[in-house]
Amino acid sequence: MPEYKAPLRDTKFVMQELLNCEAHYEKLGYEDATPDMIDAILVEASKFTEQVIAPLNQIGDQQGCTWNEGEVTTPDGFKDAYSQYVEGGWPTLSQDINFGGQGLPHSLNNAVAEMMSTANHSFAMYPGLSHGAIATLEDHGSELQKQMFMPNLVSGEWTGTMCLTEAHCGTDLGMLRTKAEPNKDGSYALSGSKIFISAGEHDLSDNIVHIVLARTPNAPKGVKGISLFIVPKFNVSDDGQKQDRNQVACGSIEHKMGINANATCVINFDNAKGYLIGEENRGLNCMFTFMNSARLGVAMEGVAAAELAFQGSVAYAKDRLQMRSLSGAKNPDGNADPIIVHPDVRRMLLTQKSIAEGGRALIGYLGQLVDATHAEKDQTVKARANDKLALLTPIAKAFLTEMGMECASHGVQVYGGHGFIKEWGMEQIMRDTKISCLYEGTTGIQALDLLARKVLGSKGKLLEAFAAEVLPFCKENAADEHMAEFINPILKSLEQWQRLTQTIGEKAMTNPDEIGAASVDYLMFSGYVTLAYFWARMAKTAQQKLADSSKDAKFYQAKIKTAQFYFQRMLPRAKGHVACILNGADSLMALDSEDFIF
């Protein structure tokens, strides 16, 4: 397993130099988020992730979780590491001070969360889901519910889950069967089974708070009849004290391809006591708060996969000697040259680097948008931030995880046969990463959300909101000869993005399948163009820093060269997606179902 080193220099570049977090935090009133405070938090987070949870990554994969009569035990070291996580105050960073949080920006917490996810994907999922539960209660819970559950969730003493999926019901939540019968005291009795519940049962916290979708009696059919409930593992008093065991049990845990150290559970509710969140039959609207929070967290997992695969690949490529460089020996005293000199190895390494660093910039930007939705007082600016988040969340979730999976595959490939062997750890990254393309909505579902709901559904309004940011940047730098190689392709891509949207919309008026046929290619095209914008911004920032000083010159030069690689080798992939979109749905739908034979 690669020895993880937190990318502090690049994280600070994104936060402080590219996105100017100091001015951003000052504008939004985050007075405690001073440069010294930010640096201290990032340094301590790097120590915790490198020294405490990264060493447990391979152990956790090898041991996995164990189930015994409904109780789940996590791998060696996880319980102690989680205790240190709580004692260090890490769960409280960006949470409401009224419930014991530190009230720091969400974008700062994101930087810490990325380190955790890269160091140990499985471990990071345990506290990660709690953030979605907290956000859901903050936005939709009653004051009593917040009093009962928020303090312990914020502190990390309790953890949270999201319970949507049932055996017959995955993406199509309108088919769910879990029932919620009203009790005389105003609570509900929930009965049913949920599957694929990440962190659904474990030994890390005193209580687990499940956020559950269910149907009340006489609820309308489909998604309009879904309500949302809080169902704790242990019942809770009005003042937030843990009481007797609720009728919630873990029926089993799944044996999986990856993330073996995170318990993926079957959770059975047998007249379990629960509490309605928000209005009856409005559960899906409330759950979207949790889902959007989770989707941004999963997007971060794509960045984490690219980063860890890159770190492992670079170390190996510098050390492994194989063949001579085609342009002449680079290691004349050795029997062969290190494989990092070979162009194809460079292709894989630069793909990993460009996705990890480009993705980090996108995630940092999205974090600042989340900050604005919480703390911005200007309602017009807040609405604009919400519009950009709506557009970019499905792009980030699907594009970054698909690319993270590609980068993980490159990690195995760089190692050759050794990458296929467990002891090196590269195949674990690939196994752990695949789930990120699946949960919180598969790539296909994110693509439909982007194209059908966000872009066509808003009649282009959300796309225009993002373009209104990109175009001024392009105009400001149009006369800069050093930026021409970046600005011109972005302008052409933006025009093409708008034309593609119009073409798909027109085709869909006569054949609705055109939306489904185009959606994934449309999302991938959108992802390549979006990351191109952030790479152009990073190149501009690096050029300015080089012009001002020779300090860190190699770092900034590497930024510019990686940007050039992205524009010359990654952005051109978008053209292939354009061709697929324009070819339409006919070839996809030509075969009858019966013609798929083997």
Side-chain angles (χ1 to χ4, degrees):
M1 176 59 64
E3 181 182 353
Y4 172 66
K5 301 299 291 184
L8 277 177
R9 180 66 186 90
D10 198 60
T11 299
K12 290 179 180 181
F13 169 79
V14 168
M15 292 183 67
Q16 298 169 347
E17 299 172 48
L18 177 71
L19 299 176
N20 194 3
C21 66
E22 186 176 353
H24 169 76
Y25 295 153
E26 185 178 343
K27 179 179 183 293
L28 295 179
Y30 288 110
E31 296 176 358
D32 292 336
T34 63
D36 287 344
M37 173 69 81
I38 293 167
D39 284 348
I41 287 172
L42 293 178
V43 168
E44 289 305 310
S46 71
K47 292 177 183 177
F48 177 71
T49 53
E50 290 171 6
Q51 299 170 13
V52 179
I53 65 171
L56 301 177
N57 196 10
Q58 196 164 32
I59 295 169
D61 180 63
Q62 292 167 349
Q63 292 185 358
C65 295
T66 56
W67 180 93
N68 183 30
E69 296 183 357
E71 301 294 326
V72 173
T73 303
T74 53
D76 292 346
F78 270 56
K79 191 169 184 178
D80 179 61
Y82 187 78
S83 295
Q84 292 184 54
Y85 172 75
V86 173
E87 289 166 7
W90 295 111
T92 68
L93 272 184
S94 62
Q95 302 304 335
D96 191 332
I97 58 174
N98 294 313
F99 300 105
Q102 298 181 51
L104 290 167
H106 290 267
S107 54
L108 177 56
N109 185 71
N110 277 0
V112 175
E114 187 213 314
M115 294 184 202
M116 289 187 58
S117 188
T118 314
N120 193 323
H121 185 157
S122 291
F123 181 91
M125 289 175 64
Y126 286 106
L129 285 160
S130 298
H131 294 297
I134 291 167
T136 304
L137 284 170
E138 272 186 321
D139 286 1
H140 306 290
S142 68
E143 291 307 311
L144 177 58
Q145 289 169 352
K146 293 176 184 179
Q147 175 183 309
M148 291 170 66
F149 296 103
M150 287 284 284
N152 284 311
L153 281 170
V154 166
S155 71
E157 293 174 74
W158 297 355
T159 57
T161 77
M162 174 169 53
C163 297
L164 284 71
T165 307
E166 299 177 8
H168 60 284
C169 161
T171 299
D172 191 352
L173 292 171
M175 297 171 65
L176 69 82
R177 297 171 185 161
T178 299
K179 296 179 180 179
E181 299 280 348
N183 295 321
K184 291 181 180 180
D185 63 359
S187 66
Y188 287 77
L190 276 79
S191 297
S193 292
K194 299 287 186 178
I195 66 169
F196 301 161
I197 308 306
S198 299
E201 172 62 27
H202 53 77
D203 57 357
L204 305 183
S205 64
D206 290 339
N207 202 359
I208 300 173
V209 179
H210 301 287
I211 306 297
V212 186
L213 286 178
R215 293 187 181 281
T216 56
N218 304 315
K221 292 182 179 180
V223 295
K224 293 183 179 179
I226 297 174
S227 300
L228 190 63
F229 299 87
I230 312 166
V231 186
K233 175 181 174 181
F234 287 90
N235 287 310
V236 177
S237 64
D238 287 355
D239 61 354
Q241 299 301 308
K242 187 178 79 169
Q243 298 184 314
D244 58 321
R245 181 68 184 257
N246 202 358
Q247 297 301 305
V248 180
C250 176
S252 63
I253 58 175
E254 305 293 349
H255 302 280
K256 312 186 296 289
M257 174 182 179
I259 55 166
N260 292 320
N262 191 273
T264 304
C265 304
V266 174
I267 301 293
N268 298 320
F269 302 94
D270 185 10
N271 287 318
K273 188 174 186 178
Y275 306 89
L276 179 67
I277 301 176
E279 298 178 26
E280 197 171 323
N281 300 326
R282 298 283 294 170
L284 205 54
N285 302 73
C286 299
M287 184 56 96
F288 267 114
T289 300
F290 200 141
M291 291 166 70
N292 286 331
S293 170
R295 284 171 178 173
L296 290 175
V298 175
M300 192 182 300
E301 291 173 359
V303 176
E307 176 65 35
L308 189 58
F310 175 63
Q311 291 192 15
S313 298
V314 167
Y316 187 81
K318 289 180 178 180
D319 185 65
R320 177 70 167 172
L321 303 180
Q322 289 288 288
M323 304 190 304
R324 288 295 185 193
S325 168
L326 296 175
S327 57
K330 303 299 187 291
N331 177 37
D333 295 332
N335 293 327
D337 291 329
I339 63 173
I340 197 169
V341 307
H342 301 310
D344 189 57
V345 174
R346 291 292 184 98
R347 173 186 63 83
M348 293 185 281
L349 295 177
L350 282 164
T351 298
Q352 293 168 329
K353 180 176 171 64
S354 68
I355 295 301
E357 295 178 10
R360 183 171 298 118
L362 173 55
I363 292 294
Y365 173 81
L366 293 175
Q368 289 196 348
L369 293 179
V370 174
D371 293 341
T373 64
H374 284 266
E376 178 59 65
K377 293 180 174 59
D378 186 324
Q379 294 305 308
T380 301
V381 175
K382 180 180 283 193
R384 198 178 302 133
N386 271 312
D387 284 349
K388 292 175 188 175
L389 269 175
L391 177 80
L392 295 174
T393 294
I395 295 174
K397 192 281 181 189
F399 179 75
L400 291 178
T401 56
E402 289 290 340
M403 297 309 298
M405 189 65 188
E406 179 182 330
C407 292
S409 177
H410 286 327
V412 173
Q413 197 76 11
V414 167
Y415 277 65
H418 293 285
F420 202 66
I421 306 301
K422 282 182 177 290
E423 67 182 270
W424 291 93
M426 302 306 289
E427 57 82 39
Q428 182 190 333
I429 302 171
M430 197 170 178
R431 288 187 289 107
D432 286 349
T433 301
K434 184 57 189 176
I435 188 60
S436 302
C437 303
L438 305 175
Y439 56 19
E440 309 312 333
T442 64
T443 299
I445 294 301
Q446 300 299 322
L448 283 173
D449 178 47
L450 171 67
L451 180 54
R453 289 187 67 242
K454 302 296 174 58
V455 178
L456 296 178
S458 71
K459 297 181 179 178
K461 173 192 168 187
L462 298 184
L463 182 55
E464 289 170 5
F466 183 56
E469 175 171 331
V470 179
L471 284 170
F473 171 80
C474 292
K475 289 178 181 177
E476 287 169 14
N477 293 282
D480 185 344
E481 61 179 354
H482 300 295
M483 288 295 292
E485 62 183 314
F486 309 121
I487 298 302
N488 293 336
I490 291 176
L491 287 172
K492 290 177 182 177
S493 297
L494 272 180
E495 290 176 11
Q496 194 156 44
W497 201 350
Q498 292 166 331
R499 287 199 306 272
L500 281 175
T501 303
Q502 184 176 354
T503 298
I504 296 166
E506 290 171 354
K507 285 185 175 182
M509 292 176 69
T510 55
N511 181 7
D513 277 338
E514 290 290 346
I515 293 176
S519 58
V520 170
D521 287 295
Y522 184 87
L523 184 143
M524 296 301 290
F525 173 90
S526 304
Y528 284 117
V529 176
T530 299
L531 233 60
Y533 166 62
F534 286 99
W535 267 114
R537 285 185 58 177
M538 286 191 281
K540 179 65 177 181
T541 302
Q543 289 172 1
Q544 290 171 331
K545 293 294 181 179
L546 285 170
D548 294 341
S549 170
S550 61
K551 185 181 178 181
D552 270 355
K554 283 191 174 182
F555 175 85
Y556 296 120
Q557 288 165 357
K559 276 289 174 202
I560 295 168
K561 290 172 183 176
T562 308
Q564 290 169 335
F565 167 83
Y566 186 87
F567 273 80
Q568 293 174 21
R569 287 282 184 155
M570 301 297 288
L571 184 58
R573 295 183 182 188
K575 296 178 182 177
H577 293 293
V578 171
C580 290
I581 291 168
L582 296 180
N583 285 334
D586 289 349
S587 64
L588 289 176
M589 310 307 293
L591 286 177
D592 292 331
S593 299
E594 292 75 15
D595 293 331
F596 285 89
I597 55 176
F598 54 89

